[in-house]
Amino acid sequence: MSKEIIINATLNEVQAAITENGELLELFTEAPGMERLVGSVYIGTVQRIMQGMNAAFVNIGLPQDAFLHFSDIDSSLEDSFITEEEDEENDEDGAAAAALRKKKKNTAEKKRMPTFRTKRSGTISINLQPKQTVIIQVVREAYSTKGVRVTTKVSLPGRYVVLMPFESAIGVSRKIQSSGERRRLRALVKSMLPKGLGCIIRTAAEGKTDADLRRDWDNLLEQWKEIEQNVTTARPPALLYKDKNLAGSVIRDLFTQDVVRVAVDSKKFYNEITGYLRWMSPELADKVELYTGKRSIFHHFQIDRAMANAFARKVMLPGGGSIVIDQTEALCVVDVNSGRALTEREQEKNAVIANLEAVKAVCQQLRLRDIGGIIIIDFIDMAEEGNRKKLYDEMRRELNRDRAKTIIYPITQLGLMQMTRQRVRQNIAERISDPCPACNGVGRVPSLALVIGALDRWLRNFKALNYDFSIMLMVSPSLAEYLYEGGFSRISRLMLRHFIRIKVQQNTALRPNEFRFISLRQHKDITQEYL
């Protein structure tokens, strides 16, 4: 299995692609207006307690209040808590920080607290009140009309360990299967763990030395001390800590021993990545390559071609069948279509073949598009129970490769398979597209920020094979306005970056995400030649 990480940095965005045996499995994007919030730590104020929803809404300074479910509240808040109003009586510096884990003096005067019921622990009182100050961490990006989801179970991820400042347990990744190695790592971490702090040992820690883990742990402690210091000066709502940028987080979390190569086309990111690895994982630093080719890195590694499937409604299967993916606000529906059966007698056999091909394609598309929530798959009907069981088992095997948590149910009498997939980020369609102004949001078009990346890649391919220093660009009025925004406009930066003069012409017949390049020397449209 050949696994690679390809990082493309354009004028306006950063994209990281994860491939396995040449197939695109995951795609991450970061662009203006699409900054990652997962992992960020805020100090916020509780706005509303919704007992009927077992949740609270917290103001952390975003357009929508964050959603805090009672199940995402750590156990220390099941004891007692001081509210912001009561804490003001203490008149101490950093009162908000102290209030986060402080016992109440007079428990008899406690306000009526919300409750939460679990099968394991029964009814639990949650010490949460309106106007209360809390430290929370984003665990799921906003999507559709819903705001971010947060937790008070703050954790800071490192390469080998995860610091949990409000817990005291030590956990070990289930993927470390050797009992001896699990005991060794647990003992190492226990020897360096300060009282009152918790830790999770990550899969990448397997085989690492005391010095490796201690270096990672000391770095996380420094981060936590910085957060504590920020709490003493911050006025809620405020950002206390922001996770690494896209390239840094992908390297930290996904660059493991089974990755054979990391290719990056930005010298800045190359220096950041190699510097981090030489300090943290020197044995991996030599696997990082700086791509200096004339054509775009995604074109060189054929990522562009694979990305087309991430936007297509219909994805073809090797045997001539297809899957059709439709996303609604509540769920995602996948319809499996077979190729033409030769005879009615072979219908069951053809259905099994097409369905098994569809399983692999569906799992790949779920990861690539980062689809979460409820998913319904309409497989081709199969008469034999053994074949339905075979299909279910194959789906479970494919989903074991998915880092997101999934729950899957056997095929129903109607031939439907129901499953859920953990939602952490917006799916790829939401991340890199905007609601269509022509249809009032029923359909979607690629966002203008992403179109700038496409222009940048086109120009790089063009300059790799051409010596022209002037060209005409035809775009829609909305894209032209976007290109000329700012004191040092985007079009100026594109011209400077590629050393070419670009004459922009507006064309109302073009869609907002469309562009046409016209050769001034040849007097013809050359757009398709360099895509």
Side-chain angles (χ1 to χ4, degrees):
M1 180 179 68
S2 176
K3 196 172 182 180
E4 296 180 318
I5 300 175
I6 314 298
I7 300 175
N8 171 224
T10 65
L11 182 71
N12 213 45
E13 64 176 327
V14 178
Q15 290 184 311
I18 314 297
T19 68
E20 194 173 286
N21 296 327
E23 289 187 353
L24 180 61
L25 293 185
E26 294 183 79
L27 181 67
F28 304 93
T29 300
E30 191 171 60
M34 295 188 291
E35 286 80 7
R36 297 166 61 253
L37 294 179
V38 170
S40 297
V41 180
Y42 291 83
I43 183 168
T45 306
V46 177
Q47 296 294 99
R48 292 172 293 158
I49 304 289
M50 306 292 288
Q51 177 66 74
M53 297 174 62
N54 285 337
F57 289 89
V58 185
N59 177 16
I60 59 174
L62 298 179
Q64 285 179 285
D65 288 342
F67 178 81
L68 173 62
H69 194 270
F70 291 164
S71 63
D72 291 320
I73 294 177
D74 66 285
S75 58
S76 64
L77 294 185
E78 294 168 14
D79 296 326
S80 55
F81 212 111
I82 267 185
T83 66
E84 190 178 46
E85 292 174 342
E86 292 169 318
D87 196 53
E88 288 174 354
E89 298 174 3
N90 297 331
D91 195 24
E92 299 175 352
D93 291 336
L100 292 167
R101 297 294 182 268
K102 187 184 289 184
K103 296 283 185 182
K104 226 176 183 181
K105 295 177 182 177
N106 187 355
T107 56
E109 297 177 0
K110 285 193 288 187
K111 297 178 182 178
R112 183 178 179 182
M113 295 181 294
T115 59
F116 177 58
R117 183 170 182 80
T118 67
K119 291 181 179 179
R120 178 179 297 180
S121 305
T123 301
I124 301 171
S125 293
I126 304 296
N127 291 276
L128 215 58
Q129 297 293 336
K131 298 185 180 181
Q132 187 168 299
T133 300
V134 288
I135 287 181
I136 54 85
Q137 185 172 38
V138 178
V139 294
R140 189 198 66 197
E141 300 280 5
Y143 71 97
S144 185
T145 59
K146 297 176 175 61
V148 299
R149 182 164 180 164
V150 297
T151 179
T152 68
K153 302 172 184 177
V154 175
S155 61
L156 300 182
R159 178 150 180 84
Y160 303 126
V161 293
V162 178
L163 166 64
M164 299 186 297
F166 298 144
E167 302 288 342
S168 56
I170 299 176
V172 184
S173 169
R174 293 179 181 177
K175 293 183 180 179
I176 301 177
Q177 298 179 351
S178 168
S179 57
E181 179 66 1
R182 293 172 70 89
R183 284 194 299 271
R184 183 187 75 87
L185 290 171
R186 191 182 290 273
L188 276 179
V189 168
K190 194 172 183 179
S191 67
M192 65 178 75
L193 194 65
K195 186 177 180 181
L197 297 182
C199 172
I200 296 175
I201 302 169
R202 306 186 72 174
T203 308
E206 188 170 11
K208 298 303 175 183
T209 65
D210 187 349
D212 292 331
L213 269 64
R214 186 171 293 278
R215 187 165 55 245
D216 197 25
W217 181 253
D218 289 343
N219 181 52
L220 293 176
L221 285 179
E222 285 298 317
Q223 291 179 20
W224 178 242
K225 288 177 183 177
E226 183 180 341
I227 291 174
E228 288 184 312
Q229 181 62 35
N230 290 340
V231 170
T232 63
T233 58
R235 292 184 62 84
L239 175 68
L240 301 177
Y241 166 80
K242 187 171 179 60
D243 199 9
K244 289 178 176 288
N245 59 32
L246 175 63
S249 63
V250 166
I251 294 301
R252 180 193 65 202
D253 299 333
L254 302 180
F255 188 14
T256 51
Q257 293 290 348
D258 61 339
V259 175
V260 298
R261 171 168 56 181
V262 173
V264 56
D265 64 356
S266 163
K267 187 132 188 214
K268 172 178 175 285
F269 285 133
Y270 173 80
N271 291 334
E272 287 181 4
I273 291 168
T274 52
Y276 171 75
L277 289 173
R278 289 191 185 105
W279 172 64
M280 185 60 64
S281 301
E283 73 281 2
L284 297 178
D286 290 339
K287 292 184 177 182
V288 183
E289 301 176 4
L290 176 62
Y291 175 76
T292 56
K294 291 185 176 181
R295 293 206 153 200
S296 71
I297 190 170
F298 274 12
H299 179 88
H300 178 78
F301 287 96
Q302 299 184 344
I303 303 297
D304 285 342
R305 186 179 303 172
M307 283 174 61
N309 277 345
F311 309 106
R313 179 172 176 261
K314 186 175 184 179
V315 178
M316 300 305 298
L317 301 176
S322 64
I323 60 173
V324 178
I325 303 172
D326 285 309
Q327 186 84 39
T328 71
E329 185 169 348
L331 51 83
C332 175
V333 179
V334 182
D335 183 34
V336 180
N337 298 314
S338 68
R340 185 173 299 175
L342 298 179
T343 68
E344 189 170 333
R345 185 184 48 172
E346 295 180 346
Q347 183 177 350
E348 180 81 2
K349 179 181 177 181
N350 290 336
V352 172
I353 293 172
N355 282 338
L356 290 176
E357 288 181 349
V359 164
K360 184 177 180 181
V362 168
C363 293
Q364 182 181 6
Q365 291 299 315
L366 293 181
R367 292 177 65 183
L368 178 56
R369 300 174 192 232
D370 208 358
I371 294 173
I374 301 171
I375 300 158
I376 305 294
I377 308 168
D378 183 9
F379 285 106
I380 302 165
D381 290 340
M382 296 180 295
E384 298 179 16
E385 178 61 31
N387 288 332
R388 290 196 290 269
K389 176 69 165 53
K390 181 179 180 180
L391 187 66
Y392 173 74
D393 292 340
E394 183 66 18
M395 176 65 86
R396 290 187 61 182
R397 278 192 292 270
E398 286 291 331
L399 289 175
N400 283 337
R401 303 167 59 192
D402 196 339
R403 290 183 297 110
K405 295 177 182 177
T406 57
I407 300 174
I408 178 176
Y409 296 95
I411 296 176
T412 68
Q413 294 294 326
L414 296 177
L416 303 177
M417 180 177 286
Q418 306 166 68
M419 63 172 289
T420 62
R421 186 174 184 271
Q422 180 187 20
R423 191 194 301 271
V424 177
R425 298 173 295 275
Q426 293 177 317
N427 66 56
I428 195 169
E430 290 180 304
R431 292 205 306 272
I432 63 176
S433 66
D434 294 326
C436 174
C439 62
N440 200 26
V442 176
R444 303 187 70 86
V445 296
S447 69
L448 297 181
L450 269 295
V451 178
I452 300 299
L455 288 172
D456 186 87
R457 286 188 285 272
W458 191 97
L459 288 167
R460 181 165 184 170
N461 290 338
F462 175 75
K463 291 297 290 184
L465 302 172
N466 247 290
Y467 296 99
D468 286 1
F469 292 97
S470 184
I471 198 168
M472 178 184 287
L473 171 62
M474 298 178 66
V475 296
S476 66
S478 59
L479 182 53
E481 182 181 356
Y482 187 74
L483 283 168
Y484 281 106
E485 278 182 358
F488 185 40
S489 66
R490 297 176 178 88
I491 192 65
S492 298
R493 283 184 281 166
L494 283 171
M495 289 192 285
L496 187 63
R497 178 181 175 95
H498 297 286
F499 197 61
I500 187 171
R501 183 175 177 271
I502 304 174
K503 181 181 178 181
V504 178
Q505 181 174 315
Q506 298 184 25
N507 186 333
T508 56
L510 294 176
R511 293 192 294 268
N513 62 307
E514 281 187 317
F515 58 85
R516 295 284 184 270
F517 278 103
I518 309 298
S519 171
L520 296 176
R521 181 170 55 85
Q522 302 175 53
H523 303 289
K524 70 172 187 176
D525 188 332
I526 57 172
T527 310
Q528 294 299 321
E529 296 178 30
Y530 303 99
L531 280 178

